[in-house]
Amino acid sequence: MGCKDKFTHILDSKSKYRLNVPYSAPKKINWWFAPFFVAIWIVLYCTVVLNLSILLPTPLTLKDEPNAPDRFIGERAYSILEGLVSLGPRIVGSEANEVQTVEYLLNEIEKVREQANTEYFDIESEVQTVSGSYMHWTMVNMYQGVQNVVVKLSAKSSNSSSYLLINSHFDSVPGSTGGGDDGSMVAVMLEIMRVIANSSGPLEHPIVFLFNGAEENPLQASHGFITQHKWAKNCKALINLDACGNGGKEVLFQSGPKHPWLMRYYRENAVHPYASTMAEEIFQAKLIPSDTDFRIFREFGGVPGLDFAYTYNGYVYHTEHDRADIVPMGSLQNTGDNILAVAKAIANAPEMYNTKEYEDGHVVFYDFFGWFIIFYTQTVSTIINLVVSFAALVAIGTSIFFMIVRSGLGVNDILKRFALVIGLQVVALLLGTALSLLVALFMDAINHSLTWFSQMWLLIGLYFCPMFFGMGIVPAIYCQYKKRDQLSLGFRIQMFMHAHCVLLVILTLAITCCGYRSGFMPMLAVLFDVVALIVNLITKWHRRAYIFALTVIICQILPFIYFTNISYSFFYTMVPMMGRNGSGINPDLMMAALAVFMSMLFAGFLIPLILFFRKTRILVSGFLVVTLVFIIISLTPAGFPYQEKTAVQRFNLIHARRVLHDFDSSVRIGDSGIYVWPQDRRTSTVNDLVPVMTKGQKVIDFCKTEMFCGVPAYNHRWNKDRDHSFWIDFSEPNIPSVPELELLSKEVSPFSARFVFKFSGPDHMTIFVGTKSDAQIKSWSFNDTAIRENWEQPYFIYFSYGKDSTPLEFFIDIEKTSGNFSEPNIEIGIGAHWVHKNAQNTKEFEEFLDSFPVWAYVNNWVASYESWVF
């Protein structure tokens, strides 16, 4: 007799295990109580979650300093920020960045030195000017004469050769004063330096404060420091401070890698912890259109560390609206309290003497409401996920056993019903997901994506409610169909909860098996459900439907707060990013997918409780009605995505001149126009107000015949979006000077030739190189990675300089099997960009810019593109 037959035989032969109770329909709760049930969770979200999300400490003022000499003073940091931002946009190569900001920082450092405890500390400072290159994504990133302001703070008694590196950047993007990105973090670093220098220690290991002057270019100055500075090899741990928003709490979104001891010091010392492994994996999956110096220190210096960033109010990121006056002083205090404590702890850590000894796998980390940090290694995470999943399956199996015992139904009947319920729960989740994605596709198809961009509450109706409807309507129809079932309503509802738990277990195991650490999210949802189930089984409350439900409700309060808090944080981070994520991706699909995932976590065990109310199908259908209402609202002016200053639509416009030469130096193409790179999906929104925008030709149309489409792409991202960029014929711009490319020499041997060039122009340029006929590039004076690894041509070189404007000389070695160098061999294109407004716009171009609505942010400059064939 098989195990299954034995189990059935035992239940059939032992009547004491069976309670053949005739069916009695439980009395359902009147339907009008359902809105109160929903209101409980809404009130919980509004009163607890929202307050937890925006809570910041009270900033300390200068008046508090006498009573708190070892504390971070938010008011002083804010004053430093105001002074820095008053210098205006700080763009590499501009006087504001290369002269005024450097002087400002040196003056602030001197103030720290004057107040420092010089009996205990030594303070060394210098300005590093550095040149170099490396591969950044798909382009050679080359820099010349960019600057770093570097300070080393060390105890006189210390003989440690291991340094803690703290980094932020003082440059900004064109058009922005960089209040949040990254002036706020520069101010935080200066105040932290002052507090430590004014103390009496202890400081076992020196701290290097790196104020780097070329992060936005991108990441050039940090590369120059970590590859060339005399202190770089001694830097054994890193704290990187950046921003993709303006204010809020700084989130720890990257750690290590493989150095869990750093997380231990963060957990033990951070005053206001805020961290997420899921944010790290989203960032490293390149779903966020940003990068930080953290990657440079990790890849080129092997320095493990902690990467922090502001993410709140990303609407103003990289715009003229990123000002100092909208940075909350409480944000500076929050960051200062955290980083000061963590920096002092790491700078006194014994692990710093030999950090490699403590390398031990990736880390799973997440905060709990900002109260404390939970972290453990990925190996431990796998064990936890497996144990919780196994416990869940055992608890569910036990619950099913008691259903068999008490229902009067056979083993096969119950198991078949449970299998059916699992299938129905899959259908429910698929239905909710399909409806959410369908709404996203519909909104995009009618050119109404991003309606939630400035009104995030619209996301609730558009993408959460369809998921709620799908998760509720399928169980409701099943329970109505099984209205006269011998299995009680309470047990049927429990089955749907168990089915959802089984699916979350499968999701947890799948994420874990794929090597992702974000499996802790569904694991936590499973854990809290298992706790409720075990309590109900031990107390035998599982037999009493409404007491079982009350236990579930109580046990779901904490995970509801936690997951909706996470959801709030992610949406307030991701939504503004959709305004600069390019026009090639439907942002509504991303929002719908995130809503689906979060709904499964915080609502999966709550939606089945609606089945206890009468008129269940009508109640659940209310979610679909809400969705329809929200779609209608989205189509009205209330759903217009943009607002002046606070939630703008972004455009990058280059007023450019193009001159393309043939092999005989004759001009093949000579024209002028506006190169338009829209940064979001709703490009056509401005067409009625700016009719010129309708006259553009897609840049992709030029790509078949011209190298890099024959336009002055500013960096590789612009080229990547060539399908969605366009060119508008326009009058000629005012070009301050003509960039020069001079062929200095051409040395020919039987099958090879060396071309030597001299190149001069503004401080931001791009060089495009492609071969002709059977020519191949054997070597050149740029970074040789693309040549050595045989990357696809043409090649993209980004070149910028800070203080050193010396013309660039470079060579290119060509090989040809034909040996014929009297025909076209290589084509070189030069894009020259005057990004810090030292070029006067023409009257026609100014009128064009003025025609844009107030809710549009137009970043613009003058450029030229010229190509030659040699």
Side-chain angles (χ1 to χ4, degrees):
M1 186 182 294
C3 292
K4 181 178 178 181
D5 295 332
K6 289 181 179 179
F7 184 58
T8 306
H9 176 72
I10 289 172
L11 290 177
D12 289 339
S13 62
K14 303 293 184 179
S15 59
K16 65 179 180 180
Y17 290 105
R18 301 290 296 272
L19 296 176
N20 295 313
V21 181
Y23 171 79
S24 177
K27 186 177 181 180
K28 279 193 168 188
I29 304 172
N30 286 323
W31 67 267
W32 55 77
F33 286 102
F36 293 99
F37 173 72
V38 175
I40 290 172
W41 304 103
I42 295 175
V43 170
L44 193 61
Y45 175 79
C46 293
T47 57
V48 179
V49 175
L50 293 183
N51 285 325
L52 283 173
S53 300
I54 63 176
L55 186 64
L56 291 171
T58 301
L60 296 182
T61 67
L62 295 175
K63 293 181 180 179
D64 298 317
E65 189 171 6
N67 297 322
D70 58 344
R71 292 288 306 278
F72 182 97
I73 305 300
E75 185 181 14
R76 179 182 283 107
Y78 188 77
S79 178
I80 294 171
L81 172 61
E82 287 183 313
L84 180 62
V85 169
S86 68
L87 300 176
R90 303 174 300 283
I91 305 159
V92 170
S94 68
E95 182 180 356
N97 194 69
E98 308 305 332
V99 179
Q100 296 174 4
T101 303
V102 172
E103 290 178 353
Y104 182 81
L105 292 174
L106 293 175
N107 288 335
E108 291 298 322
I109 292 166
E110 188 58 33
K111 292 178 184 177
V112 171
R113 197 190 308 272
E114 291 172 358
Q115 299 178 33
N117 180 358
T118 54
E119 292 183 1
Y120 187 87
F121 290 105
D122 283 327
I123 302 178
E124 303 174 61
S125 62
E126 65 174 56
V127 177
Q128 178 196 25
T129 302
V130 63
S131 302
S133 70
Y134 70 100
M135 296 304 301
H136 186 69
W137 291 309
T138 58
M139 69 182 188
V140 177
N141 192 8
M142 188 172 184
Y143 55 94
Q144 177 178 290
V146 300
Q147 298 185 96
N148 289 312
V149 178
V150 193
V151 182
K152 185 175 76 168
L153 180 65
S154 56
K156 293 180 182 293
S157 59
S158 173
N159 58 5
S160 173
S161 60
S162 297
Y163 305 162
L164 168 64
L165 174 63
I166 306 179
N167 173 75
S168 66
H169 67 91
F170 60 81
D171 66 316
S172 66
V173 296
S176 175
T177 58
D181 180 32
D182 197 22
S184 57
M185 293 303 192
V186 171
V188 165
M189 276 179 57
L190 285 166
E191 176 61 7
I192 288 174
M193 185 195 306
R194 184 200 66 81
V195 175
I196 296 176
N198 200 34
S199 71
S200 298
L203 194 67
E204 184 72 17
H205 310 286
I207 300 177
V208 173
F209 294 87
L210 172 60
F211 304 91
N212 88 70
E215 189 268 355
E216 301 289 3
N217 262 37
L219 315 181
Q220 294 172 343
S222 58
H223 179 268
F225 172 84
I226 204 62
T227 58
Q228 300 175 48
H229 198 275
K230 61 184 178 182
W231 294 331
K233 65 181 181 298
N234 299 102
C235 294
K236 304 302 183 182
L238 164 72
I239 294 176
N240 189 60
L241 304 173
D242 211 330
C244 61
N246 186 300
K249 304 173 184 178
E250 82 291 345
V251 61
L252 171 57
F253 68 102
Q254 291 192 98
S255 72
K258 300 182 179 181
H259 282 262
W261 65 275
L262 288 168
M263 283 303 306
R264 178 166 58 83
Y265 282 100
Y266 180 74
R267 180 187 64 186
E268 292 174 355
N269 295 278
V271 185
H272 320 287
Y274 180 39
S276 173
T277 289
M278 188 175 176
E280 179 177 63
E281 294 194 324
I282 289 175
F283 183 84
Q284 293 180 354
K286 298 182 180 179
L287 298 178
I288 294 177
S290 293
D291 203 353
T292 75
D293 290 314
F294 185 86
R295 183 172 68 84
I296 299 298
F297 296 123
R298 180 186 66 211
E299 293 184 2
F300 292 96
V303 184
L306 305 172
D307 199 8
F308 299 87
Y310 288 132
T311 60
Y312 181 76
N313 195 15
Y315 295 110
V316 303
Y317 173 73
H318 282 190
T319 73
E320 64 183 3
H321 308 302
D322 185 14
R323 307 183 310 272
D325 61 333
I326 62 171
V327 177
M329 197 182 299
S331 293
L332 301 180
Q333 188 69 49
N334 191 92
T335 305
D337 289 344
N338 283 336
I339 305 304
L340 175 61
V342 173
K344 288 167 66 176
I346 295 176
N348 286 288
E351 292 88 347
M352 285 285 288
Y353 284 108
N354 186 4
T355 56
K356 291 187 179 298
E357 184 180 335
Y358 298 94
E359 190 173 343
D360 184 27
H362 290 289
V363 177
V364 176
F365 57 92
Y366 47 94
D367 73 287
F368 215 67
F369 308 128
W371 298 339
F372 55 87
I373 282 283
I374 299 172
F375 87 93
Y376 36 81
T377 64
Q378 190 167 8
T379 301
V380 173
S381 172
T382 300
I383 295 171
I384 291 174
N385 292 353
L386 291 174
V387 169
V388 171
S389 298
F390 178 75
L393 296 178
V394 169
I396 290 170
T398 304
S399 178
I400 296 296
F401 172 80
F402 283 119
M403 289 184 191
I404 295 170
V405 170
R406 296 192 60 80
S407 66
L409 297 171
V411 176
N412 289 337
D413 283 341
I414 293 295
L415 293 181
K416 286 179 181 179
R417 287 167 187 260
F418 187 48
L420 174 62
V421 168
I422 290 176
L424 290 174
Q425 186 65 13
V426 171
V427 172
L429 294 177
L430 290 177
L431 175 61
T433 301
L435 289 174
S436 295
L437 297 179
L438 184 63
V439 172
L441 293 172
F442 171 74
M443 297 302 290
D444 186 61
I446 62 173
N447 197 29
H448 274 74
S449 59
L450 285 168
T451 55
W452 34 263
F453 185 61
S454 62
Q455 307 293 336
M456 279 191 241
W457 53 272
L458 287 173
L459 288 167
I460 298 172
L462 291 176
Y463 300 123
F464 282 97
C465 283
M467 189 63 183
F468 298 158
F469 171 76
M471 289 193 296
I473 194 65
V474 173
I477 292 173
Y478 171 78
C479 288
Q480 181 65 25
Y481 176 74
K482 290 286 187 178
K483 189 174 183 178
R484 304 295 300 176
D485 200 319
Q486 188 171 343
L487 187 66
S488 71
L489 175 65
F491 281 159
R492 277 176 278 157
I493 293 174
Q494 288 180 43
M495 272 195 174
F496 274 101
M497 290 183 176
H498 296 342
H500 189 71
C501 188
V502 168
L503 296 179
L504 287 181
V505 165
I506 294 172
L507 181 61
T508 300
L509 297 177
I511 294 174
T512 303
C513 289
C514 290
Y516 296 109
R517 287 163 285 153
S518 295
F520 80 91
M521 293 280 282
M523 180 276 294
L524 287 176
V526 170
L527 177 63
F528 282 103
D529 180 61
V530 169
V531 169
L533 181 55
I534 291 175
V535 169
N536 277 315
L537 291 173
I538 292 175
T539 59
K540 300 182 180 181
W541 290 341
H542 64 285
R543 303 177 183 177
R544 305 170 67 182
Y546 291 116
I547 297 181
F548 173 91
L550 183 61
T551 304
V552 170
I553 290 173
I554 293 172
C555 289
Q556 282 296 309
I557 290 175
L558 202 57
F560 175 84
I561 295 173
Y562 178 75
F563 287 124
T564 53
N565 183 42
I566 292 291
S567 181
Y568 177 94
S569 299
F570 274 114
F571 277 108
Y572 265 76
T573 298
M574 297 296 292
V575 165
M577 290 182 180
M578 295 302 100
R580 55 186 178 88
N581 203 35
S583 53
I585 300 174
N586 179 0
D588 282 60
L589 285 175
M590 297 183 69
M591 295 299 102
L594 187 54
V596 165
F597 179 66
M598 298 309 301
S599 296
M600 289 175 60
L601 299 181
F602 74 77
F605 298 110
L606 298 178
I607 294 294
L609 297 178
I610 297 178
L611 298 175
F612 282 115
F613 297 95
R614 294 180 179 179
K615 301 184 183 298
T616 306
R617 288 177 296 174
I618 295 176
L619 291 173
V620 172
S621 297
F623 290 121
L624 193 59
V625 172
V626 171
T627 297
L628 295 175
V629 170
F630 272 58
I631 291 175
I632 294 171
I633 293 173
S634 297
L635 302 181
T636 69
F640 187 71
Y642 311 111
Q643 293 181 356
E644 182 181 0
K645 297 182 180 180
T646 57
V648 295
Q649 184 177 31
R650 300 167 184 241
F651 292 92
N652 284 296
L653 304 182
I654 296 180
H655 191 191
R657 182 187 64 188
R658 298 192 302 178
V659 181
L660 283 63
H661 297 89
D662 272 328
F663 184 53
D664 60 2
S665 296
S666 62
V667 175
R668 177 167 54 86
I669 294 178
D671 63 4
S672 297
I674 302 172
Y675 176 24
V676 182
W677 180 38
Q679 289 195 260
D680 76 10
R681 190 73 165 180
R682 294 280 291 266
T683 305
S684 61
T685 305
V686 300
N687 287 352
D688 291 339
L689 301 173
V690 191
V692 176
M693 293 285 281
T694 63
K695 300 177 182 180
Q697 182 178 357
K698 287 187 176 180
V699 167
I700 193 67
D701 295 342
F702 303 114
C703 298
K704 295 179 181 179
T705 57
E706 303 298 338
M707 180 176 61
F708 276 112
C709 310
V711 293
Y714 184 60
N715 59 40
H716 78 102
R717 282 181 178 167
W718 292 47
N719 182 63
K720 184 179 178 181
D721 273 355
R722 56 188 179 273
D723 288 353
H724 308 282
S725 303
F726 49 96
W727 175 269
I728 303 171
D729 290 328
F730 207 77
S731 59
E732 187 169 346
N734 288 328
I735 301 296
S737 60
V738 178
E740 296 182 3
L741 179 68
E742 180 184 356
L743 177 61
L744 296 179
S745 65
K746 177 181 177 182
E747 300 175 5
V748 180
S749 59
F751 297 100
S752 64
R754 167 166 288 195
F755 296 83
V756 181
F757 298 95
K758 183 179 180 180
F759 174 41
S760 63
D763 44 48
H764 288 73
M765 293 182 281
T766 51
I767 306 171
F768 310 138
V769 180
T771 56
K772 296 287 188 179
S773 61
D774 64 335
Q776 292 184 341
I777 298 177
K778 178 183 178 182
S779 64
W780 61 8
S781 53
F782 304 118
N783 183 293
D784 68 347
T785 302
I787 304 298
R788 188 177 64 255
E789 298 181 0
N790 196 29
W791 288 16
E792 183 180 357
Q793 290 192 36
Y795 301 116
F796 193 126
I797 299 100
Y798 180 89
F799 174 67
S800 63
Y801 60 81
K803 295 213 62 166
D804 183 1
S805 59
T806 303
L808 175 67
E809 291 189 13
F810 63 94
F811 71 83
I812 301 177
D813 289 339
I814 298 294
E815 283 186 340
K816 295 187 72 172
T817 55
S818 65
N820 181 9
F821 292 97
S822 61
E823 62 181 1
N825 302 289
I826 56 173
E827 181 178 4
I828 299 180
I830 302 297
H833 300 263
W834 288 266
V835 295
H836 40 86
K837 302 296 183 183
N838 54 355
Q840 182 66 42
N841 288 334
T842 64
K843 180 180 178 182
E844 293 82 1
F845 188 57
E846 283 292 339
E847 290 175 351
F848 171 64
L849 297 175
D850 291 341
S851 67
F852 279 82
V854 293
W855 40 261
Y857 172 70
V858 182
N859 193 19
N860 67 93
W861 60 78
V862 167
S864 70
Y865 178 74
E866 195 163 4
S867 70
W868 299 264
V869 179
F870 298 96

